[in-house]
Amino acid sequence: MRHLSRKATCNSHGQDSSYFLGWQEYEKNPYHEKENPKGIIQMGLAENQLSFDLLESWLAENPDAAGFKRGGESIFRELALFQDYHGLPAFKKALVEFMAEIRGNKVTFDPTHMVLTAGATSANETLMFCLAGRGEAFLLPTPYYPGFDRDLKWRTEVEIVPIHCTSSNGFQITESALEAAYQDAQNRDLRVKGVLVTNPSNPLGTTMSRSELNLLINFITIKGIHLISDEIYSGTVFSSPSFVSVMEVLKDRNCDKTEVWNRVHIVYSLSKDLGLPGFRVGAIYSNDEMVVAAATKMSSFGLVSSQTQYLLSALLSDKKFTKNYISKNHKRLKEQQELLVAGLQRAGISCLKSNAGLFCWVNMKHLLSSNTFEAEMELWKKVVYDVRLNISPGSSCHCTEPGWFRVCFANMSKETLNLAIQRLKDFVVETTANGHSPSNIHYSSSKNSKRKLLPKWVLRLSSRDRDRESDER
Amino acid sequence: MTRSKSPAHEPESESEARRPTGATGMRLIVPLQGVVQGRGGLILGSLIPCALFYFFQLYLKRHRSPKPDSNPTSPSQSSSNLADLQRSSSRSNLSSRGSFGPVRVSSRASSIAKPNDSPYYIGLDKVSEDPYDRVHNPNGIIQLGLSENRLCFDLIEKWLLENMKDSVIGTEGGDLSISGIAPYQPCDGLMELKVAMAGFMSQVVGRSVSFDPSQMVLTSGATPALEILSFCLADPGNAFLVPTPYYPGFDRDMRWRTGVELIPVHCRSTDNFILSITALDQAFNQTRKRGIKVRGILISNPANPAGNLLPRETLYNLLDFAREKNIHIVCDEIFAGSMYGSEEFVSMAEIIDTEDFDKNRVHIVYGLSKDLSLPGFRVGVIYSFNESVLVAARKLTRFSSISAPTQRLLISMLSDMRFTQAYIEINKKRIREMHDLFVAGLKKLGIKCAKSCAGLYCWVDMSGLICSYSEKGELELWDKLLNIAKINVTPGSACHCIEPGWFRCCFTTLSREDIAIVIERIGKVAETCKISS
């Protein structure tokens, strides 16, 4: 067998993390309302499927966009040949205007500062290639999107050093945590090139406060490093506080002529806000000319299909549509989230108060047999295999506290969501009835539960740890 | 053409750290002798300068700034590519850790961000500033530097007219349904597209070679396909051997972010630019002597820019060579369907199929940018017989996936085998017509082309028109053609060709009338060259 490269054979793509394993289990036994009602419900994939009808009706009314036509005339040739890595100007213009609209038009963006990429995955990796290399690191607040371990580190050889956030303050970033992370990197002989945050946060579902953003800007100014704000969920902010982009804070601080202005970069995508992950549309926005120049050239490795650029330029230029879409989408997301939160509450499960995203950050600590990640894994496996819900355990997001799970709600109908809540409720009832002992309970939709014999070591574990149950929220 | 200097982004403390050796050394020896007395001082006095010298060399090696990525190195110096180790530039950041002042971009980025100084890219830029248009800008620059095929769009447009409605957005129960293409798809492409692509590739190759969809990984163009293979098959600092002249984009695709080297293996006009195994062997050994590990050979077949086909014999020999040296073969067959000559194209897949070769070392790259004229849609293929490579490549396609609406459209189009068969035939015929017209026009000017039978271009010998038989002379001619004749062609030096005077001229973006104009313009410049020489 021919020898492959180290990168091809190593494990730093993180593909073996539980995040992906749950996915695999789902694929083996996916829930379907009619064909497989006992299957696993997918709550581990942050996809927005609530507003397809709006997109479909627009497409029906605007056949030219998908038909390679502009004003009735075919522009097929033009599109077929268009492979300019500067991107279709009409699309970039429409995209920056859409981004501004999402931010309440408090900031505007210059299309020439934008680089299009095949999805935010590609955008994040490309930005890493531009800003850092081997022996260098970016600081990321935990918990963070598991995909970053792959996207930011694999081919770039950049390291991630976590900024530990805790539930004591709703997982917000603190100055001491930032400093500790910076020191941690130095101890590991890594040069810190910047901080990367996701705002709104994945998996927390919260928007960053102004004070957090100010804290970050202060930090990167003092340290002289970069800040990447992955704002891929900026269009999913469905309740207050409204979304504050880092660009807005910079503007308010009159930073636009200063050096730090060039060190703040935004990543965006249409995968979450428009629910079009299959289209592979991502963007890097930067005020640093060199970053834009380098990223533009690197985008050759992941250009957006001209067919897609044209289709979306027409869609996003329709301001009536975008206004309507944004507000309807918010409303539907809010309803779905409230449904989930209320349902979980009835099951005695609390969530982090969230105002954005396609998921809730759920606190199941009280269901753990012990305050450990092993117990979290045990619980997770039960939820996947017995309760048949694929949710993401906090450990896969590098959360420092066991017992938190990310549960997605935007990729299913209300009926399916209610079913999921019911299954979870039944599970919790059974678990609590057995006095916190983690039992292997099978769940059928008719609520008949069977209790299997527990291995002795499990019982011993649970009784020992009952006293250690903490009451954190 | 100026080559950009090294980026001025190094933090200042590094320049402070640089110090000369010899003078310092002497200044140490003499006092030391005084201090340590006698032989001890002498030994120390000798050791210390040596040590200083050693560390200085080490320091220099770490801080060597990367050369511009697309340098048109002169043929005899193309081995200077070896010096361009991207890896050392990222290491330089380690030692500047203690520096003051804000961080900059990575050195990788600053090297890539520099304006391209290769004539290949300069020419392309110039055309976009002043593009020829028969009606609106008849004195503009005519583009012959981009291998694009504009001859058969009418066929595709006709197909779209007849088939468009259902091909992009699926129709479920009579209503438009975006839910099929909107969500996450497998990043290495939909199986239906792989199946359709496998069928199309079989048709293109023209014989009973069948492609297995499960051995396919789809990417957003052939560009990422090459980069992904480079990442999978080689570590930073390793090398691939590439026969020259080669497509200038290889320097970008295989090297930029991977840290992998390309070692040219020079081919000569006397061989019609076909690779000789002897030259390959020599290059392999020379590279090994320099302590660089060769991981594979990168070939394009049909060749770009020379336009020839590798004979069956050569393909067998390549496989034997690869087996003997235990290396990979990456075969870019992107022009397989753009044949205009009468020779037969033999795909690597066919050779592997028929003989009992070690399949694990062969990887084929394909795409729809040339044969189907759809570069804007970003559709590329990695076809490999190596399961481990496929596993790794599949994961890497998350950075380079094909957009879902495009996948849907192509599933429809490529599955229509009657359409694709007709397209392939008519396309070949039209390319041949343009080729014959162009070559005949050049012949009238006394300009010959290499014997070629594939691609969207000719490999033209204009060495008779250059003043000095050197890269300098070639670039002067290129400049004249660009700025006086106002045609953009690609000089051989940009393709690392070892013989000066060769130019790649793409003719498939032109109409018959355009060709006449191009010939006329070349003729005028040819006159002035003959007068001055």
Side-chain angles (χ1 to χ4, degrees):
Chain A
M1 213 260 303
R2 289 317 61 68
H3 190 47
L4 297 194
S5 67
R6 283 191 290 270
K7 287 199 182 90
T9 46
C10 76
N11 219 6
S12 59
H13 46 72
Q15 203 84 339
D16 303 330
S17 98
S18 48
Y19 181 76
F20 299 105
L21 290 174
W23 213 330
Q24 285 166 19
E25 277 312 305
Y26 163 77
E27 308 249 285
K28 289 185 208 162
N29 181 19
Y31 168 82
H32 189 275
E33 205 179 347
K34 295 192 182 75
E35 285 156 38
N36 189 17
K38 295 205 190 125
I40 300 180
I41 298 178
Q42 175 66 288
M43 304 187 91
L45 186 57
E47 229 176 39
N48 182 357
Q49 296 184 7
L50 302 178
S51 305
F52 282 153
D53 57 316
L54 301 175
L55 293 166
E56 276 160 9
S57 62
W58 187 90
L59 283 167
E61 289 160 24
N62 297 273
D64 271 11
F68 305 101
K69 292 209 181 92
R70 188 194 291 138
E73 294 290 312
S74 169
I75 52 164
F76 176 77
R77 289 174 197 224
E78 194 185 306
L79 291 175
L81 291 173
F82 186 82
Q83 51 173 332
D84 184 356
Y85 51 31
H86 292 103
L88 203 65
F91 177 50
K92 281 169 73 171
K93 178 169 177 289
L95 188 57
V96 299
E97 284 168 2
F98 183 67
M99 285 172 71
E101 198 179 341
I102 286 174
R103 289 156 181 72
N105 287 312
K106 295 198 200 106
V107 275
T108 53
F109 297 93
D110 180 350
T112 61
H113 289 197
M114 172 172 279
V115 180
L116 298 174
T117 60
T121 302
S122 178
N124 278 314
E125 195 203 32
T126 300
L127 204 46
M128 269 307 115
F129 269 123
C130 288
L131 300 178
R134 200 194 293 176
E136 299 176 334
F138 260 76
L139 309 179
L140 266 70
T142 65
Y144 62 76
Y145 162 56
F148 281 149
D149 288 321
R150 169 200 63 206
D151 300 348
L152 305 180
K153 292 168 56 177
W154 193 5
R155 299 193 292 189
T156 62
E157 300 181 299
V158 176
E159 276 304 321
I160 294 178
V161 175
I163 302 167
H164 295 296
C165 301
T166 65
S167 57
S168 57
N169 69 342
F171 295 96
Q172 291 195 32
I173 301 175
T174 63
E175 195 173 342
S176 54
L178 276 168
E179 287 292 346
Y182 193 86
Q183 190 56 55
D184 191 7
Q186 306 235 294
N187 295 342
R188 286 166 56 176
D189 234 7
L190 296 166
R191 184 184 190 200
V192 177
K193 288 308 272 280
V195 179
L196 188 150
V197 297
T198 313
N199 179 27
S201 165
N202 175 11
L204 301 175
T206 54
T207 50
M208 285 188 121
S209 62
R210 252 177 217 278
S211 55
E212 264 180 296
L213 288 167
N214 276 312
L215 176 66
L216 278 170
I217 292 172
N218 292 340
F219 185 74
I220 64 159
T221 308
I222 292 168
K223 303 291 188 198
I225 58 180
H226 296 276
L227 174 63
I228 299 176
S229 181
D230 183 342
E231 302 188 345
I232 195 179
Y233 289 99
S234 48
T236 64
V237 181
F238 47 77
S239 63
S240 63
S242 59
F243 178 63
V244 179
S245 165
V246 67
M247 285 300 178
E248 191 186 326
V249 176
L250 282 172
K251 227 179 88 178
D252 290 343
R253 287 167 66 142
N254 294 317
C255 286
D256 35 337
K257 294 294 172 281
T258 66
E259 240 234 291
V260 77
W261 183 247
N262 286 359
R263 292 205 309 276
V264 176
H265 322 279
I266 292 181
V267 168
Y268 187 58
S269 161
L270 296 177
S271 300
K272 311 295 179 185
D273 293 349
L274 277 190
L276 300 172
F279 281 38
R280 310 315 301 142
V281 180
I284 296 169
Y285 188 87
S286 174
N287 292 312
D288 185 322
E289 276 177 12
M290 203 183 278
V291 170
V292 173
T296 301
K297 291 191 190 171
M298 285 193 207
S299 67
S300 303
F301 299 109
L303 293 176
V304 181
S305 168
S306 57
Q307 171 191 13
T308 303
Q309 290 193 52
Y310 179 65
L311 172 57
L312 293 173
S313 72
L315 183 83
L316 295 179
S317 301
D318 185 344
K319 303 295 183 213
K320 220 175 64 153
F321 167 79
T322 55
K323 190 152 174 264
N324 181 41
Y325 183 92
I326 290 174
S327 78
K328 280 222 172 88
N329 190 35
H330 285 176
K331 187 162 157 287
R332 293 175 188 186
L333 285 171
K334 186 159 187 253
E335 280 169 9
Q336 205 90 338
Q337 185 249 22
E338 284 172 349
L339 196 65
L340 178 62
V341 172
L344 288 173
Q345 218 163 40
R346 285 195 302 274
I349 300 175
S350 62
C351 307
L352 183 71
K353 186 159 170 349
S354 67
N355 63 329
L358 310 174
F359 33 73
C360 285
W361 189 234
V362 178
N363 184 355
M364 298 216 245
K365 284 183 180 183
H366 58 295
L367 298 175
L368 294 181
S369 57
S370 63
N371 188 23
T372 62
F373 287 110
E374 288 75 28
E376 183 185 278
M377 272 297 114
E378 270 174 46
L379 177 59
W380 174 71
K381 281 185 190 142
K382 261 188 249 105
V383 174
V384 171
Y385 296 109
D386 300 340
V387 187
R388 279 159 296 119
L389 303 176
N390 179 34
I391 60 179
S392 310
S395 50
S396 67
C397 304
H398 302 275
C399 186
T400 43
E401 301 172 14
W404 291 90
F405 290 82
R406 188 190 79 167
V407 180
C408 301
F409 55 73
N411 58 325
M412 58 188 76
S413 65
K414 284 196 168 68
E415 292 74 29
T416 312
L417 189 56
N418 280 322
L419 174 61
I421 291 169
Q422 190 57 54
R423 286 188 190 177
L424 200 51
K425 190 149 166 266
D426 296 339
F427 168 74
V428 172
V429 163
E430 282 296 331
T431 311
T432 355
N434 296 327
H436 291 288
S437 59
S439 41
N440 287 337
I441 302 172
H442 256 305
Y443 274 90
S444 61
S445 50
S446 60
K447 289 201 245 173
N448 286 330
S449 50
K450 279 191 196 158
R451 211 185 310 164
K452 287 208 184 124
L453 278 171
L454 293 168
K456 288 206 184 95
W457 67 271
V458 169
L459 287 168
R460 259 185 277 137
L461 203 64
S462 63
S463 59
R464 198 175 349 133
D465 287 331
R466 207 174 303 169
D467 307 323
R468 260 194 261 143
E469 284 288 335
S470 49
D471 208 15
E472 302 164 84
R473 287 209 66 239
Chain B
M1 239 181 343
T2 50
R3 190 174 302 182
S4 323
K5 294 287 180 278
S6 45
H9 72 287
E10 303 285 323
E12 278 164 18
S13 62
E14 286 189 16
S15 43
E16 291 164 30
R18 262 178 218 143
R19 45 187 195 277
T21 49
T24 321
M26 280 315 292
R27 264 188 250 131
L28 271 175
I29 294 178
V30 175
L32 261 174
Q33 275 196 289
V35 168
V36 181
Q37 301 292 349
R39 259 195 286 155
L42 198 64
I43 292 170
L44 271 177
S46 324
L47 280 179
I48 290 174
C50 292
L52 281 174
F53 184 74
Y54 168 71
F55 285 119
F56 182 56
Q57 290 299 322
L58 198 62
Y59 182 92
L60 274 185
K61 200 170 159 200
R62 278 188 174 189
H63 287 79
R64 192 184 309 144
S65 12
K67 288 214 183 106
D69 49 282
S70 46
N71 43 359
T73 50
S74 68
S76 54
Q77 285 164 33
S78 24
S79 54
S80 62
N81 277 333
L82 287 171
D84 191 355
L85 287 171
Q86 298 280 41
R87 186 177 47 156
S88 56
S89 45
S90 53
R91 261 198 254 132
S92 74
N93 287 321
L94 268 175
S95 41
S96 47
R97 214 177 321 134
S99 61
F100 300 111
V103 296
R104 300 285 188 262
V105 300
S106 65
S107 36
R108 194 197 271 117
S110 45
S111 135
I112 291 176
K114 279 185 285 207
N116 286 308
D117 55 3
S118 158
Y120 179 69
Y121 296 103
I122 293 179
L124 292 180
D125 286 343
K126 273 228 137 168
V127 174
S128 53
E129 289 162 26
D130 180 17
Y132 167 83
D133 183 287
R134 207 170 312 136
V135 178
H136 302 292
N137 189 17
N139 291 324
I141 307 178
I142 303 183
Q143 176 71 285
L144 285 108
L146 201 54
S147 67
E148 257 176 20
N149 181 352
R150 298 190 188 181
L151 305 175
C152 294
F153 281 131
D154 57 317
L155 301 176
I156 303 182
E157 279 167 340
K158 180 160 167 288
W159 182 91
L160 283 172
L161 212 60
E162 293 161 12
N163 298 274
M164 191 57 199
K165 252 175 97 192
D166 304 330
S167 26
V168 177
I169 314 292
T171 46
E172 274 175 38
D175 295 317
L176 281 178
S177 166
I178 206 173
S179 51
I181 58 167
Y184 284 101
Q185 325 264 308
C187 47
D188 63 325
L190 293 167
M191 184 43 89
E192 293 151 282
L193 183 53
K194 290 183 188 180
V195 170
M197 182 69 75
F200 182 68
M201 285 169 76
S202 280
Q203 283 180 304
V204 159
V205 164
R207 256 178 305 278
S208 54
V209 187
S210 63
F211 291 86
D212 182 352
S214 66
Q215 283 173 232
M216 223 179 253
V217 166
L218 301 180
T219 59
S220 55
T223 299
L226 286 164
E227 197 198 34
I228 286 172
L229 280 173
S230 189
F231 268 116
C232 288
L233 303 176
D235 291 316
N238 294 161
F240 279 87
L241 301 174
V242 200
T244 69
Y246 64 79
Y247 161 55
F250 281 164
D251 287 323
R252 167 198 63 193
D253 302 346
M254 302 293 289
R255 292 172 52 222
W256 263 12
R257 307 192 298 187
T258 60
V260 167
E261 271 314 307
L262 291 182
I263 310 291
V265 180
H266 294 297
C267 305
R268 318 222 163 234
S269 53
T270 42
D271 298 326
N272 198 34
F273 296 100
I274 293 192
L275 179 62
S276 94
I277 300 293
T278 324
L280 195 63
D281 199 30
Q282 259 178 351
F284 182 88
N285 292 329
Q286 279 175 350
T287 310
R288 258 237 307 241
K289 279 206 194 91
R290 290 194 194 106
I292 295 173
K293 190 165 185 201
V294 174
R295 293 308 273 264
I297 308 166
L298 170 63
I299 57 173
S300 41
N301 181 33
N304 177 9
N308 53 44
L309 299 178
L310 287 177
R312 214 177 266 272
E313 186 71 32
T314 312
L315 291 172
Y316 286 138
N317 293 337
L318 266 169
L319 282 165
D320 284 335
F321 182 84
R323 186 176 33 210
E324 183 196 320
K325 306 292 183 195
N326 195 16
I327 56 179
H328 294 273
I329 299 181
V330 175
C331 191
D332 183 354
E333 299 190 344
I334 201 174
F335 288 99
S338 304
M339 298 269 308
Y340 48 79
S342 47
E343 274 177 50
E344 60 160 20
F345 169 69
V346 182
S347 164
M348 254 315 178
E350 185 184 334
I351 305 280
I352 294 280
D353 244 1
T354 53
E355 299 286 332
D356 185 27
F357 278 106
D358 184 359
K359 300 183 180 191
N360 275 339
R361 59 178 85 254
V362 175
H363 320 279
I364 295 174
V365 168
Y366 187 62
L368 298 182
S369 303
K370 313 293 178 186
D371 291 348
L372 211 50
S373 307
L374 301 174
F377 289 5
R378 315 311 306 147
V379 183
V381 182
I382 295 174
Y383 190 76
S384 176
F385 298 84
N386 186 322
E387 193 50 44
S388 310
V389 169
L390 288 173
V391 164
R394 268 177 214 129
K395 292 179 187 148
L396 285 171
T397 54
R398 57 189 65 257
F399 301 110
S400 314
S401 296
I402 305 180
S403 188
T406 302
Q407 293 200 50
R408 281 282 155 219
L409 173 66
L410 290 169
I411 288 169
S412 235
M413 200 186 286
L414 298 180
S415 303
D416 185 348
M417 302 199 97
R418 230 173 31 142
F419 163 72
T420 51
Q421 192 60 48
Y423 183 94
I424 292 167
E425 291 310 320
I426 298 176
N427 188 33
K428 285 184 190 172
K429 188 163 148 287
R430 292 182 184 178
I431 298 176
R432 192 180 321 131
E433 281 168 7
M434 285 301 167
H435 167 264
D436 293 348
L437 196 65
F438 190 67
V439 169
L442 287 174
K443 202 161 166 211
K444 285 211 190 84
L445 299 175
I447 298 174
K448 287 210 280 260
C449 301
K451 184 167 159 298
S452 61
C453 45
L456 308 175
Y457 38 76
C458 292
W459 189 229
V460 184
D461 184 4
M462 298 209 215
S463 53
L465 300 179
I466 61 181
C467 304
S468 70
Y469 190 67
S470 63
E471 186 191 338
K472 185 164 169 289
E474 178 187 284
L475 292 173
E476 277 170 12
L477 177 59
W478 169 75
D479 194 81
K480 266 194 218 147
L481 289 168
L482 183 62
N483 293 306
I484 301 174
K486 304 199 94 181
I487 61 169
N488 177 41
V489 292
T490 309
S493 50
C495 307
H496 305 269
C497 184
I498 201 170
E499 298 177 14
W502 291 89
F503 290 82
R504 186 188 79 167
C505 304
C506 304
F507 49 77
T508 47
T509 50
L510 310 172
S511 67
R512 294 174 159 270
E513 296 78 23
D514 294 337
I515 288 185
I517 296 173
V518 167
I519 299 294
E520 192 196 321
R521 291 187 185 185
I522 297 178
K524 289 208 183 98
V525 166
E527 284 302 313
T528 61
C529 291
K530 287 191 186 125
I531 291 170
S532 54
S533 65

